[in-house]
Amino acid sequence: MVASMSSSSRNLRAREALEFHSKGRPGKIQVLPSKPLTSQRDLSLAYSPGVAEPCLEIARDPDLVYSYTARGNLVAVISNGTAVLGLGDIGPLASKPVMEGKGVLFKKFADIDVFDLELDCRDADHFIESVAALEPTFGGINLEDIKAPECFYIEEQLKQRMKIPVFHDDQHGTAIISGAALINAAELQEKKIEKMRVVVSGAGASAIACARFYISLGIDPANILMCDSKGVLHTGRDLSTRPLKQEFARETEARTLADALVGADLFLGLSRAGLVTPAMVKTMAPKPIIFALANPDPEIPYDAAKEARPDAIVASGRSDYNNQVNNVLGFPFLFRGALDVRATGINEAMKVAAAHALAELARKDVPQVVAAAYGNTFTFGPDYIIPKPFDPRVLHWVAPAVAKAAIESGVARLELNLDAYSEKLRGLLGGATAVMRRFVRKATSDPRRIVFPEGEDPRVLQACAILDEEHIAKPVLIGNKERIRALVKEHEIDLDFGGVDLVDPNTDEMREEYAEVFWRRRNRKGVDRPLAQTLMREPNYFGMMMVAEGRAEGVVSGLNHSYPDTVRPALQVIGLRPGGRRIAGMYLMLHKSGLKFFGDTTVNIDQTPESLADIAEMIADAARLFDVEPRVAMLSFSNFGSVKHKRARMVADATTLLRSRRPDIEIEGEMQANLAVNYELQRKIMPGTRLTGPANVLIFPSLEAGNVAYKLMRELGGVSAVGPVLLGTNRPVTALERDCTVDNIVLMTALTVVSAQLRDLDRDQLLSAT
């Protein structure tokens, strides 16, 4: 893949990667306190003298370390940098970005905290001593990017010495995920695992671990042929100095990979690109299984393998084809289950349980949330044999299976009610970021033409390069064409003008017609023909008219305009949706507990019961577009009539009005914000509450309150805010914040595209992303 990229593409990727790692706080991780430290009392409890009490308790009973410290949820990702990804031996310091990245995946997928440790230890025994001494600190050890054969020796020695899970993901991660794929592929191809003939290309750490794991799954060791760079490992080769390879030397006449593949049922590639030809896979047994997992390019391209053998099931390590074998399906959930039963190690039974759990999950009906995330539907079969990495079910499916295996195999130090544990895991990770990823995936399923009136802003150009490359949208850039091309060259933006349209209002042939249409619509509202002509030279007005006249399907603007200057043309040109009474601004707050919808945050300054009811209705309907069943709280400084004031009465009247208008929506109020999100407190204060859980749609009594609330949560609470989302326009209109980043432009454009898709479905509520 890298070799096939253009020089400009590589330069762009390099700049993006370096900026990603350097902007703001350098790196990808930070440490945050889990207890309040706001007073002298807090400090005296967190440190001296109060900290002595848990110390004494742990000294008395070492198991209490799990009650009084973070050890039970803390994993060390440790490397010496001798075999880093495809970069080789780059040393411990240069490996740190990779180890931080591994830590991010642990946290994101399984809520496991990580310290990354890069050790300057090339000697295996020195490395072992250093890691073993860390046992009191961590609940588990993830070894990473250590070269073979030392990695085998290091892991084995540490597993013997340490009483916490030790796991080398480079060995076992691919083994578990490809093992799950093997289980399902064998079933689909009607092959008995114990009779399958397996050919492995590669004899490194991952290949050997996979071969060993396949034996645990039922493959007959005698039926495995392994090939290294010199050919088949056979008994005629002198492998006395390579005991790991000697383990897989077989009595065979096959000498080359091509020889070995004749009649083989399964090919497992963990070597390098281009080693397997279509002619070679044609010699495999009927209904073959081809796992070409070399990265970034497989031993044989996916399409070539399928063309040569239409009856084959093919998997690769790439995300752009079906059946991606991705280690992120394994290690976070394996450690989650191991940590939660305080396992003394990760044994073969736990790894086999993880593989079978993944295989079983792939056979279940795939929920809509996964299909929407990838813009595709999935059904168990040749093109879907393992779950997708962003399937939210993996956590509460795999971790309990691992925990159960740990308990049954005797390495667990803690018993669990597995049903309750599985239910707990369902709420462990907030689904907010997954929802946003799903909207990006949904946009890619049917990209739409989106107008960018600020086509001469470098941020817009960078975003459009991403939007076009990832097929999220079909960008239309408004501005001077030569100026846009010059900016692209000046900033070295990899923008393909073959997929992006350039439109200059000053020269566009439709400008005069647009001006006439606009004049006819607004000539009784102070717009004469000269003013209409002038406004159609303005990018915002021209872009809105392109959408109104069907030349594009959405607008994204606002980086260089005030919010009113973006919204005003939208209302004048595009207008309200049919039957709409007003527009409203909404923010999506990506809280760990799930998406929260705030409104109104940007549009309506003065409220009435009618306007609050309208806003609540629009936002509740918008929540359903995000697959969130709305629970609406009408916020006030009063709780259910506790304060007799006209502003509290306004909120209460709005609640009554919307309840009568839309009995299908859960709505309660007026109430204070803490009651809205604290359901136990809410039920205590109001036992008859009409909400079935904490509110996720929060309607503020004034624009000041909503605007202040989302900004405080974003700045002080560290909660990501997506928006503003403009509701109620007749076409999708996006009004970006002026400090919007390239990533946010991409995300907001994806929401705009999805809004356009939903409009085509004639949905009652149209979502216009801004």
Side-chain angles (χ1 to χ4, degrees):
M1 178 186 290
V2 175
S4 63
M5 292 175 64
S6 68
S7 175
S8 61
S9 295
R10 286 196 300 271
N11 291 338
L12 177 63
R13 292 295 191 200
R15 289 199 309 274
E16 289 176 341
L18 292 174
E19 180 185 359
F20 176 84
H21 283 79
S22 63
K23 68 181 180 181
R25 180 191 292 265
K28 300 185 286 286
I29 58 175
Q30 64 176 322
V31 177
L32 296 172
S34 60
K35 300 293 188 293
L37 296 170
T38 57
S39 67
Q40 181 60 40
R41 178 180 177 276
D42 292 339
L43 292 176
S44 68
L45 293 173
Y47 201 56
S48 181
V51 73
E53 298 305 321
C55 292
L56 292 171
E57 288 298 299
I58 294 168
R60 180 182 61 81
D61 180 359
D63 275 350
L64 289 176
V65 71
Y66 294 102
S67 300
Y68 296 125
T69 78
R71 186 189 189 223
N73 195 53
L74 186 60
V75 166
V77 173
I78 306 181
S79 178
N80 61 5
T82 53
V84 181
L85 296 176
L87 305 175
D89 186 352
I90 61 174
L93 190 63
S95 75
K96 188 171 180 65
V98 177
M99 305 311 131
E100 284 190 358
K102 195 80 169 191
V104 168
L105 297 179
F106 267 109
K107 188 65 178 178
K108 201 68 177 177
F109 285 92
D111 196 29
I112 293 173
D113 298 319
V114 165
F115 289 159
D116 62 291
L117 302 175
E118 295 75 32
L119 303 185
D120 191 7
C121 298
R122 300 189 68 84
D123 177 76
D125 290 316
H126 185 194
F127 188 95
I128 291 166
E129 292 298 327
S130 300
V131 175
L134 296 170
E135 183 168 350
T137 303
F138 296 100
I141 304 292
N142 183 92
L143 301 172
E144 194 78 17
D145 292 346
I146 304 168
K147 70 182 179 72
E150 289 90 338
C151 62
F152 294 99
Y153 173 66
I154 288 170
E155 185 192 40
E156 189 58 37
Q157 290 297 308
L158 289 173
K159 287 173 67 175
Q160 291 178 16
R161 292 182 57 170
M162 304 180 79
K163 299 303 181 185
I164 58 175
V166 177
F167 184 78
H168 184 207
D169 187 50
D170 300 310
Q171 290 185 55
H172 309 296
T174 302
I176 292 168
I177 313 310
S178 67
L182 167 59
I183 293 167
N184 281 339
E187 176 182 320
L188 290 167
Q189 300 292 63
E190 300 177 325
K191 294 178 182 288
K192 294 183 177 181
I193 286 183
E194 63 272 15
K195 294 184 178 181
M196 289 175 61
R197 291 185 53 210
V198 178
V199 174
V200 181
S201 177
S206 184
I208 290 172
C210 284
R212 288 174 172 173
F213 188 68
Y214 289 2
I215 293 170
S216 297
L217 294 178
I219 294 289
D220 185 342
N223 288 341
I224 298 176
L225 289 182
M226 185 174 289
C227 303
D228 63 7
S229 59
K230 296 180 180 178
V232 175
L233 303 183
H234 59 88
T235 54
R237 287 177 57 177
D238 182 10
L239 298 171
S240 57
T241 61
R242 305 300 296 272
L244 295 172
K245 289 186 177 183
Q246 193 170 40
E247 177 183 341
F248 289 96
R250 300 290 182 261
E251 184 73 43
T252 177
E253 295 183 1
R255 293 296 182 265
T256 66
L257 179 59
D259 295 339
L261 279 173
V262 176
D265 296 291
L266 167 65
F267 168 73
L268 171 65
L270 291 160
S271 47
R272 60 182 176 83
L275 290 183
V276 177
T277 66
M280 291 163 67
V281 299
K282 287 181 179 179
T283 67
M284 295 178 70
K287 296 184 177 181
I289 301 167
I290 301 170
F291 294 167
L293 306 184
N295 262 323
D297 295 313
E299 288 79 2
I300 181 171
Y302 183 96
D303 291 338
K306 290 292 285 185
E307 183 178 355
R309 290 302 299 264
D311 60 338
I313 290 178
V314 182
S316 73
R318 293 180 53 154
S319 61
D320 50 350
Y321 289 104
N322 297 322
N323 301 324
Q324 182 195 16
V325 175
N326 190 326
N327 282 18
V328 80
L329 281 169
F331 66 85
F333 317 110
L334 192 70
F335 269 95
R336 182 74 277 161
L339 291 174
D340 290 340
V341 295
R342 300 180 191 168
T344 57
I346 293 176
N347 58 25
E348 201 70 7
M350 295 160 72
K351 291 183 284 185
V352 169
H356 278 285
L358 284 168
E360 185 178 357
L361 179 58
R363 295 192 289 269
K364 300 294 182 180
D365 290 339
V366 181
Q368 179 60 32
V369 64
V370 178
Y374 288 87
N376 196 3
T377 56
F378 302 102
T379 304
F380 178 60
D383 294 331
Y384 178 72
I385 58 174
I386 46 177
K388 292 295 183 179
F390 290 124
D391 189 331
R393 301 172 299 167
V394 177
L395 174 62
H396 59 81
W397 199 270
V398 176
V402 171
K404 182 173 185 286
I407 293 169
E408 293 177 347
S409 62
V411 298
R413 292 187 292 179
L414 190 68
E415 293 282 339
L416 289 177
N417 179 318
L418 292 173
D419 289 337
Y421 176 54
S422 179
E423 191 61 31
K424 174 186 174 184
L425 291 175
R426 291 175 186 269
L428 183 64
L429 296 176
T433 54
V435 170
M436 303 317 297
R437 288 194 299 265
R438 174 162 57 83
F439 267 74
V440 174
R441 294 278 186 175
K442 176 66 175 172
T444 64
S445 69
D446 186 14
R448 300 303 176 94
R449 283 174 59 84
I450 303 299
V451 174
F452 294 85
E454 295 157 314
E456 297 181 13
D457 189 300
R459 288 173 293 174
V460 169
L461 297 175
Q462 291 170 357
C464 287
I466 297 170
L467 293 166
D468 178 54
E469 181 181 359
E470 298 186 9
H471 306 291
I472 297 170
K474 299 175 181 178
V476 179
L477 293 168
I478 295 182
N480 181 281
K481 296 180 182 180
E482 294 307 314
R483 174 62 178 157
I484 291 173
R485 293 182 187 276
L487 284 167
V488 167
K489 184 177 181 180
E490 176 185 345
H491 292 274
E492 297 183 310
I493 299 170
D494 190 23
L495 183 63
D496 180 8
F497 288 107
V500 176
D501 287 345
L502 304 183
V503 176
D504 186 345
N506 292 305
T507 60
D508 191 82
E509 60 183 13
M510 296 299 296
R511 191 191 72 215
E512 295 293 332
E513 183 176 331
Y514 287 171
E516 186 66 17
V517 171
F518 185 66
W519 172 76
R520 287 199 299 269
R521 291 179 181 177
R522 306 288 298 181
N523 62 12
R524 293 182 180 271
K525 297 182 179 181
V527 176
D528 57 18
R529 278 194 169 94
L531 178 57
Q533 291 278 357
T534 299
L535 290 177
M536 283 307 113
R537 288 185 172 88
E538 294 291 329
N540 262 346
Y541 275 92
F542 189 89
M544 301 293 175
M545 188 59 74
M546 287 184 68
V547 173
E549 293 298 296
R551 194 170 163 188
E553 297 170 83
V555 182
V556 176
S557 185
L559 289 177
N560 302 301
H561 298 85
S562 68
Y563 191 77
D565 285 344
T566 302
V567 173
R568 188 181 303 108
L571 290 175
Q572 292 179 356
V573 176
I574 292 175
L576 297 175
R577 63 181 176 87
R581 289 180 287 270
R582 70 189 75 249
I583 61 172
M586 175 183 77
Y587 264 89
L588 289 75
M589 309 304 294
L590 276 59
H591 194 264
K592 183 178 179 179
S593 63
L595 278 175
K596 309 296 181 188
F597 301 84
F598 282 22
D600 186 350
T601 53
T602 57
V603 177
N604 298 281
I605 297 176
D606 297 316
Q607 302 289 10
T608 65
E610 291 74 19
S611 68
L612 281 177
D614 290 345
I615 292 165
E617 182 178 9
M618 285 192 286
I619 296 178
D621 285 335
R624 285 175 171 158
L625 299 181
F626 287 83
D627 289 336
V628 173
E629 189 58 31
R631 295 188 293 271
V632 182
M634 306 295 284
L635 300 181
S636 174
F637 54 84
S638 170
N639 281 323
F640 310 107
S642 63
V643 178
K644 306 303 181 184
H645 190 278
K646 63 180 181 180
R647 294 191 65 81
R649 184 73 256 164
M650 175 186 70
V651 177
D653 289 346
T655 304
T656 301
L657 178 60
L658 181 57
R659 189 176 290 140
S660 64
R661 184 192 299 171
R662 292 290 300 274
D664 61 305
I665 297 175
E666 287 186 31
I667 180 171
E668 190 57 278
E670 85 284 12
M671 69 170 78
Q672 295 177 4
N674 59 329
L675 261 69
V677 297
N678 185 334
Y679 191 54
E680 290 185 8
L681 180 61
Q682 183 184 143
R683 287 191 298 177
K684 182 178 179 180
I685 299 296
M686 177 53 68
T689 177
R690 292 178 172 87
L691 299 187
T692 58
N696 48 31
V697 175
L698 304 178
I699 305 301
F700 295 88
S702 67
L703 184 64
E704 296 100 320
N707 192 273
V708 167
Y710 94 79
K711 288 180 177 176
L712 283 177
M713 281 195 70
R714 183 180 66 184
E715 299 300 326
L716 299 182
V719 178
S720 296
V722 177
V725 175
L726 189 66
L727 303 173
T729 55
N730 195 29
R731 299 287 194 282
V733 177
T734 296
L736 301 170
E737 292 185 309
R738 291 196 176 194
D739 60 352
C740 200
T741 65
V742 171
D743 287 343
N744 281 340
I745 297 171
V746 171
L747 178 57
M748 298 309 296
T749 304
L751 291 177
T752 310
V753 169
V754 173
S755 180
Q757 295 170 349
L758 293 172
R759 185 179 183 278
D760 283 354
L761 294 175
D762 196 27
R763 299 290 293 266
D764 291 335
Q765 173 66 42
L766 299 180
L767 172 66
S768 297
T770 68

